[in-house]
């Protein structure tokens, strides 16, 4: 079995992502309270839970935006706890950025091109070979086509609909060619038709890579996720298929504030 060690701690390379006893405190406030989470190499996982449950904090600590107070994060068997975000993204873990990371005055293809260029870490210059330019342009076209943005490649990003901007964010995250993609509320503020498009894109992406999404839209969770993890006050309180999780009394209590009435008239 393959092992890799960073920072002196090694794990078997049997999982794409694993956290062990992850704790994050902000002053006296505990945002993550001993999270033991595992993700196999291909999974489409939804992270759900009420506001303040710790979902975004979990993403922040996985992607290196914040350091864990205690515990470890392993990515493909390597301990990545405390590595800076750019190192973690180079290892193949990328996150959809919020709208502020799109350059609205640049075109769709310029935005995606910047992502590809960041991955290659060899800035384009006037003497870039024609072959290399053709490779990049092929990749650019494929990413835009996969996101349904092929006919909008020359449009300014700022002129796109909200849904198309979310798709552009996903294209930029994918331009880093990650093994694991993290999406924080990818359908937030998007029209119902666009939600369908985004759901389809997420399903396609998950055929070849791991995907974790934070999602409030229950229809998306039920239609898209293979497995759902429920966070509440920084702890995992339930995990299973979407059908299992919505039937779980602890989950119903968290969402409805009371056990669900199971039969009419009671
Ligand atoms: N940078 C921070 N500083 C202080 N408190 C924070 C910070 N980030 C998150 N929190 C707190 O941690 C808790 C979990 O937040 P968050 O992870 O954003 O929840 P969720 O994404 O599930 O809504 C909340 O109580 C929030 O106020
Ligand atoms: Mg959040």
């Amino acid at each position: 079995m393959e092992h890799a060690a960073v920072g002196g701690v090694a794990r078997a390379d049997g999982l794409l992502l694993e956290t062990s006893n992850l704790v994050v405190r902000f002053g006296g406030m505990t945002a993550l309270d001993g999270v033991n989470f595992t993700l196999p190499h291909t999974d489409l996982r939804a992270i759900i839970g009420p506001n303040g449950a710790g979902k975004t904090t979990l993403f922040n600590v996985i992607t290196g935006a914040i350091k864990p107070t205690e515990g470890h994060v392993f990515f493909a068997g390597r301990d990545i706890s405390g590595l800076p975000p750019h190192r973690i993204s180079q290892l193949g873990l990328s996150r959809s950025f919020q709208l502020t990371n799109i350059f609205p005055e640049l075109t769709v293809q310029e935005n995606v091109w910047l992502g590809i260029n960041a991955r290659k870490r060899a800035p384009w210059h006037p003497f870039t070979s024609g072959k290399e330019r053709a490779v990049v342009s092929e990749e650019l076209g494929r990413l835009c086509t996969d996101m349904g943005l092929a006919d909008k490649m020359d449009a300014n990003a700022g002129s796109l609909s909200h849904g198309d901007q979310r798709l552009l964010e996903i294209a930029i995250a994918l331009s880093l060619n990650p093994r694991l993609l993290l999406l924080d509320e990818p359908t937030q503020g998007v029209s119902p038709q666009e939600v369908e498009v985004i759901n389809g894109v997420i399903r396609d992406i998950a055929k070849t890579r791991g995907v974790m999404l934070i999602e409030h839209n229950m229809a998306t969770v039920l239609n898209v996720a293979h497995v759902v993890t429920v966070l509440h006050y920084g702890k995992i309180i339930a995990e299973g298929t979407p059908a299992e999780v919505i039937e779980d009394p602890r989950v119903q209590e968290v969402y409805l504030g009371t056990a669900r009435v199971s039969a009419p008239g009671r």
Side-chain angles (χ1 to χ4, degrees):
M1 198 176 284
E2 229 180 274
H3 283 75
V6 174
V9 186
R11 271 291 207 275
D13 191 12
L15 293 165
L16 186 53
L17 188 76
E18 181 177 6
T19 75
S20 99
N21 188 36
L22 205 54
V23 175
V24 172
R25 288 194 201 95
F26 298 109
M29 198 269 155
T30 303
L32 291 179
D33 192 5
V35 171
N36 293 300
F37 174 86
T38 57
L39 192 86
H41 275 271
T42 54
D43 195 2
L44 206 178
R45 179 71 57 96
I47 310 292
I48 68 169
N51 273 338
K55 305 179 295 295
T56 299
T57 300
L58 181 62
F59 273 23
N60 284 339
V61 77
I62 290 170
T63 55
I66 59 174
K67 291 191 196 320
T69 311
E70 288 172 32
H72 293 271
V73 181
F74 300 90
F75 179 61
R78 299 175 72 157
D79 187 352
I80 60 166
S81 330
L83 287 184
H86 70 275
R87 282 285 299 130
I88 293 175
S89 85
Q90 283 163 8
L91 293 172
L93 202 161
S94 104
R95 159 185 212 164
S96 77
F97 292 97
Q98 299 302 309
L99 291 175
T100 48
N101 283 72
I102 287 178
F103 293 99
E105 72 285 6
L106 297 184
T107 66
V108 165
Q109 60 174 318
E110 286 164 344
N111 270 279
V112 178
W113 181 85
L114 285 172
I116 296 174
N117 212 42
R119 182 188 83 222
K120 292 185 180 286
R121 279 189 290 160
W124 186 89
H125 60 80
F127 306 114
T128 301
S129 73
K131 188 174 164 220
E132 175 62 11
R133 261 180 284 171
V135 168
V136 170
S137 130
E138 196 272 332
E139 185 177 349
L140 194 57
R142 186 162 32 79
L143 276 168
C144 290
T145 304
D146 289 351
M147 295 305 114
L149 296 171
D151 57 349
K152 294 167 187 145
M153 285 174 68
D154 293 318
N156 277 359
S159 73
L160 298 178
S161 70
H162 199 161
D164 281 342
Q165 292 194 359
R166 301 316 301 255
L167 288 163
L168 175 57
E169 289 169 32
I170 297 175
I172 294 168
L174 282 179
S175 70
L176 300 169
N177 195 22
R179 297 169 71 181
L180 175 59
L181 177 66
L182 271 52
L183 303 168
D184 196 343
E185 301 196 36
T187 63
Q188 192 194 19
V190 161
S191 76
Q193 299 90 312
E194 290 175 325
V195 169
E196 282 308 307
V197 174
I198 292 174
N199 289 352
V201 160
I202 293 171
R203 280 192 211 101
D204 281 347
I205 293 169
K207 288 176 187 159
T208 52
R209 333 163 183 261
V211 176
M212 279 171 74
L213 70 147
I214 295 174
E215 188 54 73
H216 280 302
N217 182 332
M218 274 300 161
T220 293
V221 172
L222 297 177
N223 290 332
V224 170
H226 301 158
V227 179
V228 180
T229 298
V230 187
L231 273 181
H232 186 44
Y233 289 123
K235 286 186 158 73
I236 294 177
I237 59 156
E239 200 159 64
T241 64
E244 285 164 356
V245 161
I246 54 167
E247 286 302 320
D248 189 309
R250 285 164 302 180
V251 177
Q252 291 175 9
E253 196 170 325
V254 163
Y255 274 93
L256 305 175
T258 171
R260 192 175 65 169
V261 176
S262 56
R266 281 179 61 198

